[in-house]
Amino acid sequence: MKNLSDEILNKFTDNELDQATLKMVREQLKISEEDRKRLKAIQAVDNGLRDMKSESVSTDFTSVLMKRISKKSKAKKEQQTFIISISSIFVIIALAIVGYVMHLIFSAPPSTTGGTAMATRETLNIMKDVMEPVKSFFANVNISVIGSVFSLGLLISIYFVFDLVKHTKNNLSRQH
Amino acid sequence: MKNLTDLEIIDSVKKGNQSDYAIIIDRYKNRAFSLVKRMLKNEMDAEEVLQDCFIKAYDSLDSFRQESKFSTWFYRIVYNTTLTKLSGKKRKIELEMTSVEDHFDLESDYDFKVSEKKDMAEFLNKMVEKLPLNYASVITMFYINDMSCEEISEALNTSVANVKVLLHRSRNALKDILLKNNFAEELL
């Protein structure tokens, strides 16, 4: 009679055989010492593997990891705050411009004569009115103030970029 | 606090109790370490990669939809992160070559020592470390991490049948070593 396959012996060990096959395997095991030996070896492997213990990480693993997580969360919050601040400034500027334009539109005297040409002329006048203060805002002394503000913003951005690069480098060096 | 389930702890972490994540770390660090170490075959790298796995899991907690057990979800992160690390180390070719269809021979590079007979678990532990990556992963998940074949298949993104094939082939390879070295008579 042919020997039992490793597949059957594994399924026997895992109790995955149906009743008919189980009966056949038991009969075969009674008469074949070779199969009994192979089954015992598989069962020894199975039992031995169940006795294996998990490996242990270093004792300060959790505390080191929690510090990393905490630091990362803090940096993430700071970045979020920075992005929100910058976005808020831009939104406020945009709102101010829109508000000013609306103010000019609503405060302009109503036109007595209709027509597209009149409406276009009025729009151009309003645009001219809007551009005048913008032009004067960027002129002379104001330009240096604006430059300083942008420089400050640029410096802050550079700081965050360098910080990010430093973190990335650290992470990469830790990985290698 | 330590008697809480994984899901209860995760809910607490999501609510802002960051320190509770330490309980999850303590709960899984050693078992996950066993898996990473066997995959990387390097203890120092294993701790670093495991830290990255925990951080990745922490950052992704919001995407954990509780459709599977936390452990299954977490081990999937561990497995995939370790694979990425391996591919980064140009071991991808080795990994790709070790598919389910491949055969391997443990005996060829096994240096048998009589003293190892005293400790079956230690002997098997050493042998598992020599198994190809996906075989070692399945053995570790099944026997050390107490995962079912279904959970392993979910974590490895493969079929249950594949997992069983890997499990049986690993046991067969180890069985052949035992038989060759007459371990069975001594231990049974």
Side-chain angles (χ1 to χ4, degrees), chain A residues 4-15 29 34-50, chain B residues 120 124 143 167-179 183-184 188:
Chain A
L4 294 168
S5 69
D6 282 343
E7 182 69 15
I8 293 278
L9 291 175
N10 268 293
K11 284 188 174 174
F12 182 84
T13 306
D14 291 337
N15 208 12
L29 286 171
E34 171 67 23
D35 284 340
R36 276 201 304 274
K37 196 177 170 185
R38 286 167 54 229
L39 176 66
K40 276 185 177 183
I42 288 178
Q43 287 173 337
V45 168
D46 185 53
N47 290 331
L49 290 170
R50 285 182 200 283
Chain B
M120 178 70 158
L124 287 172
Y143 286 104
L167 190 63
H168 291 174
R169 283 191 183 171
S170 307
R171 283 203 302 224
N172 290 339
L174 295 168
K175 174 222 33 168
D176 290 340
I177 294 275
L178 287 194
L179 289 175
F183 259 93
L188 292 165

Side-chain angles (χ1 to χ4, degrees), chain A:
Chain A
M1 197 175 174
K2 267 178 74 179
N3 281 335
L4 294 168
S5 69
D6 282 343
E7 182 69 15
I8 293 278
L9 291 175
N10 268 293
K11 284 188 174 174
F12 182 84
T13 306
D14 291 337
N15 208 12
E16 286 181 351
L17 293 174
D18 58 72
Q19 283 303 313
T21 320
L22 198 61
K23 197 179 169 191
M24 183 274 289
V25 170
R26 280 182 180 144
E27 290 299 318
Q28 172 71 8
L29 286 171
K30 275 180 195 169
I31 56 169
S32 169
E33 196 187 335
E34 171 67 23
D35 284 340
R36 276 201 304 274
K37 196 177 170 185
R38 286 167 54 229
L39 176 66
K40 276 185 177 183
I42 288 178
Q43 287 173 337
V45 168
D46 185 53
N47 290 331
L49 290 170
R50 285 182 200 283
D51 288 341
M52 275 195 314
K53 299 276 181 287
S54 60
E55 315 260 345
S56 296
V57 292
S58 53
T59 47
D60 61 346
F61 181 85
T62 307
S63 58
V64 169
L65 182 54
M66 285 308 289
K67 272 181 197 164
R68 269 186 76 184
I69 289 173
S70 175
K71 209 173 164 185
K72 208 181 163 207
S73 302
K74 207 177 160 189
K76 204 176 168 185
K77 271 181 192 169
E78 280 173 4
Q79 277 179 351
Q80 276 176 348
T81 311
F82 174 72
I83 290 166
I84 289 168
S85 311
I86 296 292
S87 308
S88 306
I89 290 167
F90 278 108
V91 168
I92 289 166
I93 291 169
L95 284 174
I97 291 170
V98 170
Y100 187 66
V101 171
M102 296 294 278
H103 164 74
L104 289 176
I105 290 170
F106 288 113
S107 61
S111 60
T112 48
T113 54
T116 317
M118 193 65 190
T120 311
R121 205 175 303 127
E122 266 185 29
T123 310
L124 283 171
N125 284 337
I126 288 168
M127 288 302 289
K128 204 177 166 186
D129 289 343
V130 170
M131 288 311 290
E132 275 306 318
V134 173
K135 265 169 75 180
S136 62
F137 185 71
F138 282 102
N140 306 325
V141 188
N142 288 339
I143 193 72
S144 57
V145 176
I146 294 162
S148 306
V149 170
F150 270 100
S151 303
L152 188 68
L154 200 66
L155 280 173
I156 293 168
S157 308
I158 288 168
Y159 166 77
F160 277 104
V161 169
F162 272 106
D163 199 45
L164 193 70
V165 170
K166 206 171 87 182
H167 271 93
T168 314
K169 272 186 182 172
N170 283 345
N171 285 339
L172 284 172
S173 61
R174 251 200 303 272
Q175 280 176 9
H176 291 290

Side-chain angles (χ1 to χ4, degrees), chain B residues 4-15:
Chain B
L4 291 176
T5 65
D6 289 348
L7 296 181
E8 286 169 332
I9 295 166
I10 287 158
D11 279 342
S12 172
V13 175
K14 279 182 179 177
K15 282 174 189 164

Side-chain angles (χ1 to χ4, degrees), chain B residues 44-78:
Chain B
M44 288 303 286
D45 281 352
E47 279 213 15
E48 290 295 330
V49 171
L50 187 58
Q51 284 199 5
D52 292 343
C53 296
F54 275 112
I55 289 173
K56 204 175 267 186
Y58 179 84
D59 288 340
S60 312
L61 278 183
D62 287 333
S63 67
F64 173 54
R65 301 192 195 289
Q66 304 184 7
E67 287 161 358
S68 58
K69 282 165 75 177
F70 171 78
S71 56
T72 310
W73 179 80
F74 175 64
Y75 285 125
R76 193 188 308 146
I77 291 176
V78 172

